[in-house]
Amino acid sequence: FCRAFNIPYYIGMVVPFLIIYIFNWTVFFIIIVTLLRKSCKSDLKDVKKKQENISFIRQQLIIVTTLSVLFGLGWGIGLFATQDIHKNKIVRDVFAALFVVMTA
């Protein structure tokens, strides 16, 4: 099979991956901050509103978790499952298992 190793591997695979990965995390945190700002702006004076607000925050956190999966944030773990990053087979197997669980 054909695969790049050493410097070409890092330039051709890791650097583009890191750029996209950092961009995805940035968007992810912008979404979280926006959702938290919306929830903080609502009026929390009476109990009913507070309960609705807690329900709203819980719903928004579920949406954020779903978006994180859609953005592929779990793919960062896949990078650590490569032989070039970790030489220890047990560590690679653990990262590979986490990658499978997070992307399945």
Side-chain angles (χ1 to χ4, degrees):
F1 67 97
C2 180
R3 183 180 157 224
F5 292 96
N6 299 330
I7 299 297
Y9 171 75
Y10 291 110
I11 292 172
M13 296 287 287
V14 176
V15 171
F17 171 81
L18 288 176
I19 291 170
I20 293 169
Y21 195 69
I22 290 169
F23 175 76
N24 286 343
W25 271 106
T26 304
V27 171
F28 180 73
F29 284 119
I30 289 171
I31 291 170
I32 288 176
V33 168
T34 303
L35 292 175
L36 291 176
R37 279 190 186 163
K38 276 185 181 178
S39 66
C40 289
K41 285 182 181 178
S42 65
D43 188 21
L44 297 175
K45 288 189 179 179
D46 62 5
V47 177
K48 188 174 182 181
K49 282 262 190 191
K50 189 172 185 177
Q51 289 174 347
E52 288 176 5
N53 198 21
I54 290 171
S55 169
F56 175 76
I57 291 172
R58 188 175 297 139
Q59 179 185 14
Q60 295 301 320
L61 289 175
I62 291 170
I63 291 171
V64 167
T65 304
T66 304
L67 285 174
S68 70
V69 171
L70 290 175
F71 280 144
L73 298 179
W75 282 84
I77 294 173
L79 181 65
F80 294 110
T82 62
Q83 190 172 8
D84 286 345
I85 304 294
H86 285 287
K87 303 291 183 196
N88 188 344
K89 184 175 180 350
I90 296 171
V91 173
R92 281 185 313 195
D93 289 345
V94 168
F95 279 118
L98 288 172
F99 170 72
V100 169
V101 168
M102 299 233 359
T103 58

